Amino acid sequence: MTSPLNATDLYHTGIVVPDIEEWKTWFTGIAGHRWTETQSFDLLVRLADGERVLPLRFAYSLDAPHLELVQEIPGTPWIRSGHLTTHHLGYFCDDLPTTSKRLEEEGFPLEACAIVDGSPSIFAYHLDPRGVRIEIVDRTRMPDFDAYLRSKAPTWH
């Protein structure tokens, strides 16, 4: 049997932060990162305690290896654990439902996923009992990640 993920599909490391703009400025000052505009939208998400609409906010670094800063949302998986640490590893996948099921079979229970038309869609988070969190993202949502980043970059770049 093949593994549920491909190493070459790892495209970002996610970090949950209390203030995206503050952390974008900090990472720029310390390492020269450039950023997309901060994206913001409400999305129906399935969590362990049920479904609810969450105000998701995030930004990606424009240069590889890519960082994703995610705004903290208390009472959800999007919280910091003590010191600022890696929150998740983000992988593209071609079949989100199948990949999600395979991760569950490998011991990564489903933690959260977006819901579109009543079904898991867009992304899913799986958390291993050792604390490794994997985000899988439907590749069709961003088939050309570099073009996506350019489209979200500030106009002054």
Side-chain angles (χ1 to χ4, degrees):
M1 184 189 289
T2 61
S3 59
L5 301 172
N6 293 314
T8 58
D9 287 332
L10 176 63
Y11 74 102
H12 78 269
T13 299
I15 303 169
V16 172
V17 297
D19 183 315
I20 290 176
E21 301 311 317
E22 177 184 328
W23 282 92
K24 283 167 67 173
T25 300
W26 184 83
F27 272 114
T28 297
I30 200 73
H33 286 280
R34 299 173 308 135
W35 299 94
T36 63
E37 294 287 346
T38 299
Q39 305 300 300
S40 191
F41 55 89
D42 295 336
L43 186 65
L44 180 62
V45 176
R46 181 174 295 153
L47 302 169
D49 62 354
E51 294 180 3
R52 47 187 166 139
V53 175
L54 296 178
L56 299 177
R57 294 186 72 233
F58 61 93
Y60 285 105
S61 63
L62 293 172
D63 303 300
H66 298 287
L67 298 177
E68 178 191 33
L69 299 180
V70 181
Q71 182 70 46
E72 184 172 36
I73 306 172
T76 74
W78 293 275
I79 56 171
R80 294 177 301 138
S81 57
H83 295 290
L84 189 67
T85 60
T86 298
H87 181 263
H88 65 270
L89 300 174
Y91 289 81
F92 283 123
C93 68
D94 294 317
D95 181 342
L96 192 127
T98 299
T99 303
S100 183
K101 183 176 188 262
R102 296 268 325 276
L103 283 169
E104 287 187 282
E105 291 168 355
E106 293 292 329
F108 283 77
L110 178 65
E111 182 180 32
C113 64
I115 301 295
V116 176
D117 297 329
S119 299
S121 182
I122 305 172
F123 69 85
Y125 281 85
H126 290 265
L127 181 61
D128 174 87
R130 292 171 291 237
V132 176
R133 181 178 283 116
I134 300 292
E135 177 190 22
I136 54 173
V137 176
D138 181 346
R139 188 185 319 271
T140 63
R141 296 292 177 155
M142 291 184 270
D144 183 339
F145 188 60
D146 290 332
Y148 169 82
L149 292 174
R150 286 190 304 274
S151 76
K152 304 301 181 189
T155 55
W156 47 266
H157 273 282

